[in-house]
Amino acid sequence: FVLLLAGADGVVVHVAGGGGFEDEARRVRLIEGADWNESSRGTNAIGTAIAERRPVFVHGAAHYARRFQDLVCYAAPIFDIDGTLLGVIDATSRHASADPEVGEAVLAHELGEEPAGAQAQDGEAQERRQDDGAADLQRTMRPCAPER
């Protein structure tokens, strides 16, 4: 996953991480200075989180542009104390790497909480957490459906 911070206008101001996804992230313009507003790129997590002012995840064919349909993206808006939109935090990787815990971590950042999976857990507890986390994420983050 690559982590991105975008301004309220959808322009990426900081990028971190990436690992084995780093080269592809650059190829699809997940870079500082790139504009990910919906008016520029169609449905995408950064732009949709700005437009809807709520956390979203956009996966696969839900992306407007075909070249981004191999991605999974989790994004949450960041507001100041007065409710003014400051920007968006986003985690993006290949669709095959989709992980509800990543979305939960993005959401926890928006809520100012520690992700529930941050503590070490035994295997059974971790499995239960993953199942519960996927259900919580589906209730809280709005999935974007593919456009037809």
Side-chain angles (χ1 to χ4, degrees), residues 1 21 57-60 63 70-74 91-104 130 134 137:
F1 278 87
F21 180 65
F57 67 97
V58 180
H59 57 93
H63 287 90
D70 188 39
L71 302 178
V72 60
C73 311
Y74 305 94
T92 295
S93 191
R94 293 177 190 93
H95 187 259
S97 299
D99 183 345
E101 288 190 17
V102 173
E104 189 175 296
Q130 286 178 329
L137 183 63

Side-chain angles (χ1 to χ4, degrees), residues 4-127:
L4 303 125
L5 179 62
D9 58 358
V11 175
V12 176
V13 295
H14 185 72
V15 180
F21 180 65
E22 191 172 3
D23 289 340
E24 186 170 349
R26 277 196 297 273
R27 183 184 64 77
V28 296
R29 307 273 307 143
L30 294 170
I31 58 173
E32 290 181 16
D35 183 355
W36 283 89
N37 193 296
E38 277 196 337
S39 63
S40 299
R41 301 216 189 241
T43 302
N44 70 84
I46 293 172
T48 303
I50 291 169
E52 296 194 3
R53 299 177 59 86
R54 63 176 283 152
V56 298
F57 67 97
V58 180
H59 57 93
H63 287 90
Y64 176 77
R66 191 168 297 228
R67 70 183 278 200
F68 307 127
Q69 292 183 356
D70 188 39
L71 302 178
V72 60
C73 311
Y74 305 94
I78 302 166
F79 299 98
D80 73 8
I81 196 162
D82 296 322
T84 301
L85 179 67
L86 298 175
V88 174
I89 185 167
D90 172 274
T92 295
S93 191
R94 293 177 190 93
H95 187 259
S97 299
D99 183 345
E101 288 190 17
V102 173
E104 189 175 296
V106 169
L107 178 62
H109 177 80
E110 186 226 12
L111 298 175
E113 300 173 354
E114 180 178 343
Q119 298 89 14
Q121 300 176 2
D122 66 25
E124 187 177 317
Q126 179 67 19
E127 188 174 314

